[in-house]
Amino acid sequence: MSAVGIVAAAGSGSRLGADRPKALVGLAGRPLVAWAVDTLLAGGVDEVVVVTPAAERDAFAAVLPGSVQLVDGGATRTASVRAGLLAAGAAADAVLVHDAARPLTPPEVVARVLAALAAGAPAVVPVLPVVDTTVAVDAAGTVTDAVPRGPLRRVQTPQGFDRTVLVAAYAALDDAAELTDDAAVVRADGVPVTTVAGDERAAKVTVPHDLRIAELLAAPR
């Protein structure tokens, strides 16, 4: 089974307080996007497409291998993944969509997603259990109910798909739609999504505190 990875890297670094796209922010001396690309390749992906802000393509080209294909992203994450999917072409059997903001995802997570796809799952996401008490609140912030956490999961990336399934789901999706991840895109098209074990190291870097934790985790590498 051949697989292509699409790295969503077109987001801004505003919440990190950065003066550059988030994916170009450094972690242990390397930009986040470089870590994400290496994770996909080490986990078994054959080729990688990185979706970048159009004005920053040269900056991404300077820090990534020449074998990585760069594509201009859209105004939203959904639009950017559409662009990456189009650029990936039809050669691969599977597509893995990964967030550049999850730089320390272990290659083993990638391998688990690929294995589930090879076993016949049309869509696969890595997940972790919810460990905190979770409640619902009203408009005033008053707790109205406790949410049973047993069936709840935190979803990570890379999310993997049979290529034809993901292409069909995006074709059926309204151009104006903006969903939070690609599993939501295929679920909207009636496709069941399988889960595999995620990893705490695959945490998303969103704010400065997240980056400081990632620096601590990356130090021994």
Side-chain angles (χ1 to χ4, degrees), residues 13-200:
S14 58
R15 283 185 288 178
L16 271 179
D19 59 355
R20 69 199 77 177
K22 185 197 296 185
L24 292 178
V25 171
L27 170 63
R30 304 174 66 219
L32 300 182
V33 67
W35 291 86
V37 168
D38 285 355
T39 285
L40 289 174
L41 294 172
V45 166
D46 301 293
E47 57 181 305
V48 177
V49 175
V50 175
V51 186
T52 76
E56 301 286 349
R57 185 186 286 206
D58 289 347
F60 279 81
V63 299
L64 293 173
S67 58
V68 173
Q69 184 179 359
L70 301 180
V71 177
D72 293 345
T76 65
R77 186 187 189 280
T78 300
S80 291
V81 174
R82 280 187 193 272
L85 192 57
L86 181 63
D93 302 305
V95 177
L96 270 64
V97 184
H98 190 36
D99 291 334
R102 296 184 188 272
L104 300 183
T105 301
E108 294 79 12
V109 175
V110 180
R112 286 196 285 270
V113 172
L114 288 173
L117 291 170
V124 184
V125 296
V127 299
L128 290 173
V130 173
V131 295
D132 293 328
T133 297
T134 304
V135 299
V137 300
D138 62 18
T142 302
V143 173
T144 60
D145 198 6
V147 179
R149 65 190 179 194
L152 298 180
R153 297 294 183 270
R154 295 175 282 152
V155 179
Q156 300 181 315
T157 72
Q159 299 181 1
F161 308 90
D162 177 278
R163 187 191 62 80
T164 58
V165 166
L166 188 59
V167 168
Y170 265 99
L173 189 68
D174 187 279
D175 287 343
E178 172 57 14
L179 302 181
T180 57
D181 68 359
D182 300 283
V185 174
V186 299
R187 288 185 66 245
D189 202 34
V191 177
V193 179
T194 297
T195 65
V196 296
D199 194 289
E200 292 289 355

